[in-house]
Amino acid sequence: MIDFTLTSDQELIQQTAREFAREHLAPGVIERDDKAEFPNEQIKLLGELGFMGMMVPEEWDGAGFDTVTYVIAMEEIAAVELATSTVMSVNNSLVCQLFVDYGTEKQKEKYLRSLASGTKLGAYSLSEPQSGSDASNMRTFAQKDGDHYVINGTKNWVTNGINSDIVTLFCLTEKGAGYKGITAFVVEKGTPGLSVGKKEDKLGIRASDTCELYFENCRIPVENRIGEEGQGFKIAMKALGGGRIGIAAQALGLARAALDASITYAKERKQFGKTIGEFGAIQNILANMATEIDAARFLIWRAAKLKDEGKNYIRESSMAKLFASSTAMKAATDCVQIHGGYGYMQEYGVERLMRDAKITQIYEGTSEIQQLVIARDLLQ
Ligand code: CAA
């Protein structure tokens, strides 16, 4: 049965997230973007609300919600500050989910509890300078040495790389074995041999941090391995499959913010003796924007529901991300266009939407990678 009605719990979460965003994110959002200032206080509060481990079972100090509830919250947070929703997304759908799915009891005790309750922050480190879309082409190597691994290599574009306490890391443990030589690990910040690069200066989501991580003879105990040797690529891919639903929800929130700003402005701004909303040209843009936003939401909810039902959702997750991210980019660009000269100015807050939207077409798999995942599934 198709049912678009939210449960009372979901309505409550939506309301809570909306109020949180209005009260704690809206003030200072332009300044944080301008100064590239990490939303420390806001992330702490999100943790207290249970929003940093939304899909983690309560027995591990998470909120115990399903994916549909998670994307509803994500839309609200992203509608006000995409950068904060990025920090939230990585911790929830990449890092916590990975421990839920693959962590040992000991790892869950040691890491998942604090990640889910928001007292610690996680990062997910897969990409390297030469391996972005071609994720399995990595070089970082973890050499087994008795009951330890010794890691050497460079990772890049690590979201939360600076502010995180815990890094889930993917390395080769066998050279020349392709994706079958990749293994997942958890590395704590402060481990000797792990150093953190400078904060990258980015086009958008500037308040979130992104950096390189350098591993130089970084020794970690064998108990920090997640899953078995050689299982790492599948672990990484499974996490990304779920993560992409969250990124789609981020894109949706941003697109909705663009629509809301466009409607408000179209009703206020007068040119040639009438509001610009009275012109067909503007009406057409608004109508298309609203239609695409609803279509994106339905794709996202479908993917989330499939995941919650334990069904295969990989194609649907990629479809949701592909469509929602292009909707966000288009909506943000149209929003700036509707605002004209004012839209180009920082104080109106809509040029940030345009800069922020772009990343949703790039991270956790570019649009071209989503097309590849969808097409492979269609043709198999
Ligand atoms: N779940 C489980 N297993 C999966 C899977 C999934 N979603 N996707 C692939 N696999 C399995 C395949 O079934 C295959 O196993 P078998 O041989 O047993 O069938 C194995 O993994 C290898 O798969 P492929 O042959 O498809 O691998 P590939 O090298 O051709 O390409 C890819 C796969 C889809 C292109 C992949 O490399 C990919 O997703 N690339 C994009 C990487 C990406 O999203 N990076 C973002 C990094 S995180 C980030 O953005 C930063 C951040 O902090 C937010």
Side-chain angles (χ1 to χ4, degrees):
M1 192 176 84
I2 298 170
D3 185 1
F4 297 120
T5 321
L6 301 189
T7 64
S8 54
D9 268 2
Q10 287 165 345
E11 273 179 8
L12 183 68
I13 289 298
Q14 186 180 50
Q15 200 51 36
T16 307
R18 199 171 284 171
E19 276 166 25
F20 171 86
R22 194 175 50 227
E23 248 180 73
H24 298 284
L25 297 181
V29 62
I30 292 179
E31 199 181 350
R32 277 192 297 280
D33 170 67
D34 191 37
K35 294 185 175 157
E37 197 176 282
F38 192 80
N40 274 311
E41 198 50 38
Q42 289 76 3
I43 294 298
K44 193 166 159 274
L45 290 171
L46 280 172
E48 287 165 14
L49 281 175
F51 278 27
M52 295 304 279
M54 290 192 76
M55 295 171 289
V56 175
E58 285 171 277
E59 62 169 309
W60 295 111
D61 295 346
F65 290 118
D66 59 12
T67 316
V68 174
T69 311
Y70 169 65
V71 296
I72 287 167
M74 184 58 73
E75 178 183 335
E76 298 304 321
I77 302 299
V80 179
E81 188 171 36
L82 201 79
T84 293
S85 74
T86 297
V87 181
M88 175 179 156
S89 158
V90 167
N91 198 72
N92 272 278
S93 48
L94 294 184
V95 184
C96 284
Q97 194 63 43
L98 200 149
F99 282 107
V100 170
D101 292 340
Y102 296 100
T104 60
E105 294 287 298
K106 214 170 153 193
Q107 288 167 345
K108 285 179 182 162
E109 194 63 57
K110 193 166 176 195
Y111 302 113
L112 183 57
R113 281 194 194 288
S114 49
L115 287 164
S117 57
T119 53
K120 295 252 165 85
L121 184 65
Y124 172 96
S125 182
L126 176 71
S127 304
E128 297 186 5
Q130 79 295 338
S131 62
S133 292
D134 186 8
S136 68
N137 185 31
M138 61 179 63
R139 289 185 192 148
T140 297
F141 191 70
Q143 173 75 53
K144 188 100 180 278
D145 180 22
D147 53 4
H148 281 75
Y149 286 92
V150 181
I151 306 173
N152 280 287
T154 297
K155 291 284 177 182
N156 69 346
W157 303 319
V158 185
T159 306
N160 297 347
I162 294 172
N163 284 281
S164 55
D165 306 282
I166 291 157
V167 182
T168 50
L169 175 73
F170 300 89
C171 307
L172 283 181
T173 45
E174 189 186 346
K175 290 181 183 164
Y179 80 85
K180 289 182 178 152
I182 295 172
T183 303
F185 296 95
V186 50
V187 185
E188 291 169 41
K189 281 290 191 54
T191 305
L194 163 57
S195 52
V196 176
K198 67 168 176 50
K199 184 170 179 167
E200 302 286 1
D201 201 1
K202 305 192 294 283
L203 174 71
I205 53 162
R206 292 172 52 77
S208 70
D209 78 62
T210 309
C211 68
E212 292 193 325
L213 294 178
Y214 310 109
F215 296 86
E216 272 179 273
N217 295 322
C218 177
R219 281 177 80 81
I220 56 164
V222 166
E223 66 205 39
N224 282 25
R225 191 183 69 220
I226 303 172
E228 299 303 320
E229 276 198 12
Q231 221 192 338
F233 192 67
K234 291 197 181 186
I235 295 177
M237 288 298 118
K238 176 146 191 247
L240 282 170
R244 287 166 183 164
I245 307 175
I247 303 300
Q250 279 196 296
L252 170 64
L254 185 141
R256 198 191 78 200
L259 176 64
D260 291 347
S262 300
I263 292 171
T264 305
Y265 192 73
K267 284 167 145 178
E268 278 169 14
R269 175 71 170 165
K270 283 197 172 146
Q271 292 290 279
F272 307 103
K274 48 185 177 178
T275 63
I276 60 169
E278 290 175 72
F279 290 100
I282 302 295
Q283 289 172 3
N284 290 346
I285 298 174
L286 294 178
N288 287 345
M289 220 193 265
T291 307
E292 283 165 16
I293 287 170
D294 277 7
R297 186 176 292 109
F298 297 151
L299 282 174
I300 293 165
W301 285 8
R302 176 181 69 165
K305 189 123 183 58
L306 286 171
K307 178 167 173 281
D308 288 336
E309 288 169 351
K311 297 186 178 144
N312 193 334
Y313 59 89
I314 295 307
R315 185 208 304 182
E316 290 79 5
S317 153
S318 285
M319 283 178 166
K321 183 180 184 288
L322 176 68
F323 188 77
S325 60
S326 102
T327 298
M329 195 64 233
K330 192 157 170 289
T333 310
D334 286 343
C335 175
V336 171
Q337 189 69 20
I338 287 173
H339 282 73
Y342 292 110
Y344 206 67
M345 304 299 143
Q346 190 191 36
E347 69 173 288
Y348 271 70
V350 297
E351 54 83 41
R352 178 178 51 85
L353 298 179
M354 197 171 152
R355 288 186 287 103
D356 282 355
K358 189 63 204 167
I359 193 61
T360 66
Q361 295 183 301
I362 297 173
Y363 63 12
E364 296 200 22
T366 60
S367 293
E368 292 70 22
I369 289 296
Q370 308 313 324
Q371 286 165 327
L372 184 140
V373 170
I374 298 163
R376 278 186 185 176
D377 190 67
L378 292 172
L379 294 168
Q380 79 179 352

